[in-house]
Amino acid sequence: MKKIMMIFLVAFMFVLMIVIGVMVFNRILPIGMGMHKSVYQVDDIALEGYDATSYFKDGAKKGDPKFSTTFQEATWYFFSEENLEVFKADPGKFVPKYGGYCAKAISTGFTAPSNPEIYTVHDGTLFLFSSQEVKDGFIADPSSMIRVCERKWK
């Protein structure tokens, strides 16, 4: 019986290590453990290089590395010098909610990558999502998801 328990425990730990490894590889991290960066980024670039101010003007536009700044330990690119200066004047206005991680993932207590082309601006705040389906769920009842996310995002 003791041998069976030991085999079970080793197998369980092995499976758990694989699950955790897959989650870390896919950048899905538990919020409460503080393993995530404050802003979702790929290769230290926020919004995968999209201009944070463009979401509030004429839709998501790719930024240019020559118009860049560092904020919250990430590099942000902008479409123009003007957009860069607008961001610098009030960066908090343009940084996506929950650091740009997928809002649905945040509601489950985890951070997960988002797609910078799948977004909405709700009540003057930018939200990003991992898929159109997730965005549609948010749009159907934003206040419920925001309420849940706010409890999880610390």
Side-chain angles (χ1 to χ4, degrees):
M1 184 70 166
K2 207 173 191 182
K3 187 175 181 179
I4 293 172
M5 290 288 285
M6 186 59 91
I7 291 170
F8 175 78
L9 182 61
V10 168
F12 176 77
M13 294 302 289
F14 180 73
V15 169
L16 184 61
M17 286 175 37
I18 289 172
V19 168
I20 291 171
V22 168
M23 289 176 69
V24 169
F25 179 77
N26 288 302
R27 294 178 273 181
I28 300 171
L29 302 169
I31 294 171
M33 296 183 77
M35 298 169 63
H36 63 282
K37 295 183 178 189
S38 62
V39 173
Y40 171 63
Q41 48 195 276
V42 176
D43 299 327
D44 298 323
I45 309 298
L47 296 173
E48 295 182 29
Y50 280 78
D51 178 338
T53 65
S54 69
Y55 291 95
F56 297 87
K57 294 178 179 181
D58 45 10
K61 280 187 177 177
K62 272 290 207 180
D64 186 323
K66 70 181 176 185
F67 306 118
S68 66
T69 191
T70 302
F71 181 72
Q72 292 184 335
E73 300 177 3
T75 301
W76 301 75
Y77 291 167
F78 300 91
F79 181 75
S80 67
E81 181 73 32
E82 176 187 340
N83 287 9
L84 170 60
E85 294 307 318
V86 166
F87 180 85
K88 283 181 173 181
D90 189 5
K93 178 179 178 181
F94 301 102
V95 172
K97 192 71 169 171
Y98 316 121
Y101 293 98
C102 176
K104 176 65 174 175
I106 298 301
S107 74
T108 66
F110 290 86
T111 61
S114 61
N115 181 333
E117 294 180 350
I118 304 174
Y119 68 94
T120 191
V121 175
H122 174 75
D123 287 342
T125 301
L126 175 61
F127 292 87
L128 298 173
F129 309 97
S130 58
S131 70
Q132 186 62 44
E133 180 181 45
V134 169
K135 175 185 171 181
D136 294 343
F138 176 89
I139 289 172
D141 189 6
S143 59
S144 291
M145 186 178 288
I146 291 169
R147 197 169 34 259
V148 173
C149 288
E150 290 300 312
R151 287 194 304 262
K152 306 280 183 171
W153 184 253
K154 305 275 183 221

